[in-house]
Amino acid sequence: MKIIYTDALVVGAGLAGLRVAIAAKERGLDALVLSLIPAKRSHSAAAQGGMQASLGNTVKGMGDNEDVHFQDTVKGSDWGCDQKVARMFAHCAPKAVRELAHWGVPWSRIQQGGREVIVNAEKVTLEEAKAAHGLINARDFGGTKKWRTCYTADGTGHSLLYAVDNKAISLGIPVHERVEALKIIHDANNAKG
Ligand SMILES: Cc1cc2nc3c(=O)[nH]c(=O)nc-3n(C[C@H](O)[C@H](O)[C@H](O)COP(=O)(O)OP(=O)(O)OC[C@H]3O[C@@H](n4cnc5c(N)ncnc54)[C@H](O)[C@@H]3O)c2cc1C
C-alpha cells in the first residue's frame, strides 16, 4: 500500500476545496486534494447568478458596505444563520472578488452611460457614472437592499472554477482526480488518513 503524508488533506476539488487548499498552501502547509471527478467538472461550474460583495461600484449599489450586506444576509436567513460566519463572509467578500480578478476572473465591468434593466417588472434606464467605467459590475440577485452580485455574464461558476483551479496548479498543489475518499481514519482526535 502506498502511504502519502500531507499536512492538509482536502476532500473535494470544487471552489470550496480548492480555495481551502490554496489558503493552507499560502500558510506554508502541504496540501493535497482528492476529487471524485476532475476538478474543473465539479458542480461549482454550474453556478450562474454570481457572488455577493459590497463593492458599491454601480449606481444601484451606491452606499453599500459590509454592514448592509451583513444585515441583508441575516434577514435573508430569517435570523437563522450563524452570524459570526455571515459577518466574516460580508467582511471578506470585497477582498475575495478583487483577489479573484487578480487570479484571472473576467468579472463583467461597468460601462459608463445609460443601460436598460428590469426593476420590479418594469424597464428602467440606469445612468452609470464616468468614474465607474471599467469597475466590477453588480446585478440584482436575491432580494438584497443594494445590487451587489458580481458576475461574469452567465458563467460565473465556470470562470471562478477555472481561475481557482489554475491558481492551485500554479502553486503546485496536487489534485488527485478520480479518487474517492471512502473513510477518514481517526486515532483519538487526529485524522490519520
Ligand atoms: C445551477 C446552479 C446554480 C448556482 N448558482 C449559484 C450562484 O449564482 N451563486 C452562488 O453563490 N452559488 C450558486 N450555486 C451553488 C454553488 O454552486 C455551490 O454551493 C458551490 O459551488 C459548492 O461548492 P463546493 O466546492 O462545496 O462543491 P462542488 O463544486 O460540488 O464540489 C464537490 C467536490 O467534491 C468532490 N467529491 C465529492 N465526494 C467525494 C469523495 N467521496 N471523495 C473525493 N471527492 C469527492 C467532487 O469530485 C467535487 O470536486 C448554484 C448551484 C447550481 C447547481
Side-chain angles (χ1 to χ4, degrees):
M1 184 172 63
K2 189 177 174 194
I3 297 178
I4 301 172
Y5 293 91
T6 185
D7 298 323
L9 174 68
V10 179
V11 179
L15 281 172
L18 289 173
R19 188 62 187 84
V20 81
I22 290 168
K25 186 78 180 181
E26 286 179 339
R27 282 161 183 74
L29 299 171
D30 265 342
L32 174 80
V33 185
L34 305 183
S35 183
L36 199 50
I37 54 172
K40 287 187 173 78
R41 294 195 60 203
S42 298
H43 218 157
S44 293
Q48 290 183 318
M51 173 176 169
Q52 303 258 332
S54 57
L55 299 179
N57 291 336
T58 81
V59 67
K60 282 292 215 178
M62 274 168 83
D64 201 9
N65 58 47
E66 67 176 80
D67 292 333
V68 185
H69 186 176
F70 172 71
Q71 285 157 14
D72 269 348
T73 309
V74 174
K75 190 176 161 203
S77 74
D78 217 1
W79 283 262
C81 70
D82 181 330
Q83 295 196 11
K84 275 192 186 153
V85 174
R87 173 55 80 178
M88 185 192 71
F89 269 91
H91 177 66
C92 294
K95 293 184 200 82
V97 164
R98 293 190 180 105
E99 181 179 61
L100 286 161
H102 183 61
W103 292 356
V105 172
W107 294 114
S108 295
R109 302 282 170 161
I110 296 172
Q111 304 273 320
Q112 72 176 91
R115 65 171 167 134
E116 246 183 23
V117 295
I118 306 292
V119 179
N120 295 331
E122 280 182 27
K123 266 192 191 165
V124 179
T125 303
L126 299 181
E127 204 58 43
E128 295 291 359
K130 189 177 173 194
H133 185 80
L135 298 179
I136 295 171
N137 208 348
R139 64 181 165 205
D140 191 18
F141 195 73
T144 56
K145 275 202 193 94
K146 304 284 181 184
W147 289 18
R148 71 170 74 86
T149 304
C150 307
Y151 61 101
T152 64
D154 62 354
T156 307
H158 182 93
S159 51
L160 258 64
L161 190 57
Y162 267 66
V164 175
D165 189 38
N166 289 342
K167 179 70 183 173
I169 291 168
S170 76
L171 290 173
I173 297 169
V175 179
H176 292 219
E177 295 184 337
R178 299 184 199 276
V179 173
E180 184 179 14
L182 296 176
K183 197 171 182 181
I184 304 290
I185 304 164
H186 287 100
D187 168 15
N189 290 329
N190 297 322
K192 287 285 187 186

